[in-house]
Amino acid sequence: MRAWEKNIRRVEPYVPGEQPKVDNVIKLNTNENPYPPAPKAYEAAKAFDMDKLRLYPDPECSALVHSIAQYYGMDDNEVFTGVGSDDVLAMCFLTFFNSEKPVLFPDISYSFYSVWADLYRIPYETPALNDKFEIVPEDYFKENGGVIFPNPNAPTALHMDLEKVEEIIRHNQDVVVIVDEAYIDFDGRSARELVHKYDNLLVVQTFSKSRSMAGMRIGYAFGNKDLIKALNNVKFSFNSYTMNAPTLAYGVAAVEDDAYFKECVEKIKNTREEAKKQLMALGFTFPDSTANFIFATHQRVPAKTIFEELKKRNIYVRYFNKPRIDNYLRISIGTDAQMQALYAALKEIVNA
Amino acid sequence: MRAWEKNIRRVEPYVPGEQPKVDNVIKLNTNENPYPPAPKAYEAAKAFDMDKLRLYPDPECSALVHSIAQYYGMDDNEVFTGVGSDDVLAMCFLTFFNSEKPVLFPDISYSFYSVWADLYRIPYETPALNDKFEIVPEDYFKENGGVIFPNPNAPTALHMDLEKVEEIIRHNQDVVVIVDEAYIDFDGRSARELVHKYDNLLVVQTFSKSRSMAGMRIGYAFGNKDLIKALNNVKFSFNSYTMNAPTLAYGVAAVEDDAYFKECVEKIKNTREEAKKQLMALGFTFPDSTANFIFATHQRVPAKTIFEELKKRNIYVRYFNKPRIDNYLRISIGTDAQMQALYAALKEIVNA
């Protein structure tokens, strides 16, 4: 080892789902939206003044913050925006999880949580989901340095009722509690309505799933103004200009296109409900999904085999080679046509 | 103080130069390029397939990395890209500066360095520039946890010969040395040519100044493949998808437009040389600039007065209310027309 290597921060990086560089792939592996972004975003792109790129973007992202705040009935100073919800969450870990006590999150959950904790050397504990893959609220009642969980949870797709979410928050008013709602638009009640009741609550959402803009990188958080101020202070200690000028413009336009947004979400929900029937008929079981994906296991054929067989047929789903979930597949909801191709392939595979 | 506030990371954030929201302003305060981005970037914007935004962007930024590597004659695995050079530098601090010993950077320098050090709780020392505002290489020969300095330095605009840069690197082969070259395209020799000689050297550059793309957020670093690998591991522990799809596309196009790039740089250099004459005639002195800005003090009128008077006339320059430099103004090089307006205003102000 060379001397300068001694001081390198050693990390086990998060491994994102594969982004295949070939065409003709049915991509159901990273929970992207199968429908294109809102028409108004296209208009914003056409109208965008490229000359402006010579200037720094607005460091406060005011226009985007304002449009999100307005849409959700919050104040501008209750909204933080970042480069996808990953950026927002990474900033949250750095800003709020500075206790000697462990941060708590579920054992089966978004796998980036432990990566951020390791990156920033934050102690953590991971209470186990029960056998139905449900979060057990009581597990989060003990002393801790902060709490974070997704709702619906990923990769299980299971939703927890807002009453239970509130139970966890109520028992944790001395630390910051983060509810990560990347998939909430596909069903269920957001904890956003609790933000004015609990000043230690942050609710994180994203444009990557329900708003079809994974490629643009927009995430945001709701919280009381002191939490948002603390987040902004850390952001301004990291990079003043995280969100570029086109992002701010297209983001605002996407929020304005409410009818399109609701229509897409509705289509995906319908396809998901049909997918539940089809998968069940093929011998799959799964926790009931309220997200844009289904976390399924087959009664006979191992998940890994199905994953590999699908890949051979140019259909990508997500397989996690991890304890307790290594016989499951996370299948994103695509268009009806993509799903038909999936069912046909699965039929071949499970009946082989 | 509420209980949950105890664990908030307290920081003193970096304060970026003002981005006035009114029009008709002559903006010479954040070293932006007065000329628009490359025509090929406009073409890339027109050709950009908005449908793709529903998908995550390439997490490895392969196309952009490859185009930068090719342009500068490096291997792809010797290039890292980020959301402006601030993102690249923030990642560098987090990745490489993990020693108990202090990191060294000049007392008068890019003011973000101390902010990142504070954010990540990295000890640091700031050797003083000499009376001519020059970096004294010998100050960097002592034991340390890493070295970083801009070349040309900011906000002084002073360039250090590559021989002296190399002297600093030669004396610091046990730590990572970062040369921050945001302004190198406006003159002087880049330390890039030393990357194959010193495996502990990182050279950081940006599209924000010479390539007129501050609004798009593109920065990059050159270094040996092990340094770049370590940076990528930390990046993938922070946010897999930092650079959005349009950024990657427009960035590649900008690099391809070499003639335009060189032409813009040449124009700015000519305007800068003329500005030196004009400012001198008006009673200003300054370190000789090799950047796209001039760091000037007036023999009679206080910098703060000039700053305020210019602002009244809708001309923005940068004033730092800091020890040793509180009688200086950092003036970005604009178009010839903008500079004529500046000279006229300065004439009024200094002769008032």
Side-chain angles (χ1 to χ4, degrees), chain A residues 28-228:
Chain A
L28 306 174
N29 68 333
T30 53
N31 297 344
E32 287 142 335
N33 198 308
Y35 303 108
K40 276 196 201 291
Y42 287 69
E43 285 167 31
K46 223 176 252 171
F48 185 79
D49 178 6
M50 286 286 290
D51 286 11
K52 269 197 193 154
L53 284 189
R54 69 174 193 83
L55 300 174
Y56 282 97
D58 172 18
E60 276 148 12
C61 309
S62 316
L64 182 61
V65 161
H66 181 67
S67 92
I68 293 169
Q70 269 215 316
Y71 184 84
Y72 290 105
M74 310 290 282
D75 281 341
D76 287 12
N77 61 12
E78 295 171 328
V79 175
F80 174 81
T81 59
V83 182
S85 61
D86 283 347
D87 180 47
V88 175
L89 291 167
M91 290 289 155
C92 287
F93 271 67
L94 185 58
T95 306
F96 300 116
F97 293 163
N98 294 291
S99 168
E100 308 278 292
K101 293 173 201 155
V103 166
L104 304 180
F105 49 84
D107 66 335
I108 298 170
S109 188
Y110 186 30
S111 37
F112 225 132
Y113 296 159
S114 59
V115 174
W116 285 313
D118 289 335
L119 175 68
Y120 296 131
R121 298 164 183 171
I122 299 165
Y124 63 94
E125 279 174 22
T126 57
L129 301 183
N130 70 16
D131 286 347
K132 291 180 197 152
F133 284 155
E134 293 162 336
I135 291 175
V136 182
E138 292 72 20
D139 291 347
Y140 297 81
F141 294 175
K142 61 179 164 182
E143 247 202 334
N144 62 65
V147 172
I148 180 167
F149 55 90
N151 193 37
N153 196 6
T156 66
L158 250 186
H159 182 259
M160 178 163 43
D161 287 342
L162 195 59
E163 290 67 31
K164 289 196 178 171
V165 171
E166 183 167 3
E167 227 181 294
I168 294 180
I169 303 166
R170 201 171 34 240
H171 279 85
N172 284 287
Q173 297 186 51
D174 288 350
V175 296
V176 172
V177 177
I178 302 173
V179 186
D180 177 2
E181 297 188 334
Y183 301 101
I184 196 74
D185 291 329
F186 299 107
D187 257 332
R189 258 165 83 196
S190 169
R192 194 178 50 246
E193 59 183 271
L194 301 177
V195 159
H196 291 135
K197 192 166 170 188
Y198 298 97
D199 59 15
N200 61 321
L201 170 64
L202 268 172
V203 178
V204 177
Q205 301 186 350
T206 176
F207 281 42
S208 298
K209 318 293 183 185
S210 55
R211 292 187 187 274
S212 306
M213 288 177 90
M216 209 62 201
R217 316 305 301 120
I218 304 177
Y220 54 102
F222 301 113
N224 95 65
K225 65 178 174 42
D226 298 327
L227 285 176
I228 299 301

Side-chain angles (χ1 to χ4, degrees), chain B residues 106 109-110 113 133-135 148-154 156-166 168-169 178-192 194 203-205 290-291 293:
Chain B
S109 189
Y110 186 29
Y113 297 160
F133 284 153
E134 293 162 335
I135 290 174
I148 180 167
F149 55 88
N151 193 37
N153 197 4
T156 65
L158 249 187
H159 182 259
M160 177 162 46
D161 288 341
L162 195 59
E163 289 67 32
K164 288 195 177 170
V165 172
E166 184 167 2
I168 295 179
I169 303 165
I178 301 172
V179 186
D180 177 2
E181 295 187 336
Y183 301 101
I184 196 74
D185 291 330
F186 299 107
D187 256 333
R189 259 166 83 195
S190 168
R192 193 176 49 246
L194 301 178
V203 177
V204 177
Q205 301 187 350
T290 63
F293 61 92

Side-chain angles (χ1 to χ4, degrees), chain A residues 2 4 9 32-33 42 51 53-56 95 98 116 199 209 215 217 226 238 241 244-245 247, chain B residues 2 4 9 32-33 42 51 53-56 95 98 116 199 209 215 217 226 238 241 244-245 247:
Chain A
R2 289 159 287 190
W4 56 263
R9 189 171 288 254
E32 287 142 335
N33 198 308
Y42 287 69
D51 286 11
L53 284 189
R54 69 174 193 83
L55 300 174
Y56 282 97
T95 306
N98 294 291
W116 285 313
D199 59 15
K209 318 293 183 185
R217 316 305 301 120
D226 298 327
F238 173 79
Y241 309 100
N244 66 25
T247 305
Chain B
R2 289 159 287 190
W4 55 262
R9 188 171 288 254
E32 286 142 336
N33 198 308
Y42 287 69
D51 286 11
L53 284 188
R54 69 174 192 82
L55 300 174
Y56 282 97
T95 308
N98 294 291
W116 286 312
D199 58 15
K209 317 296 181 182
R217 318 304 301 123
D226 298 326
F238 173 80
Y241 308 99
N244 65 24
T247 306

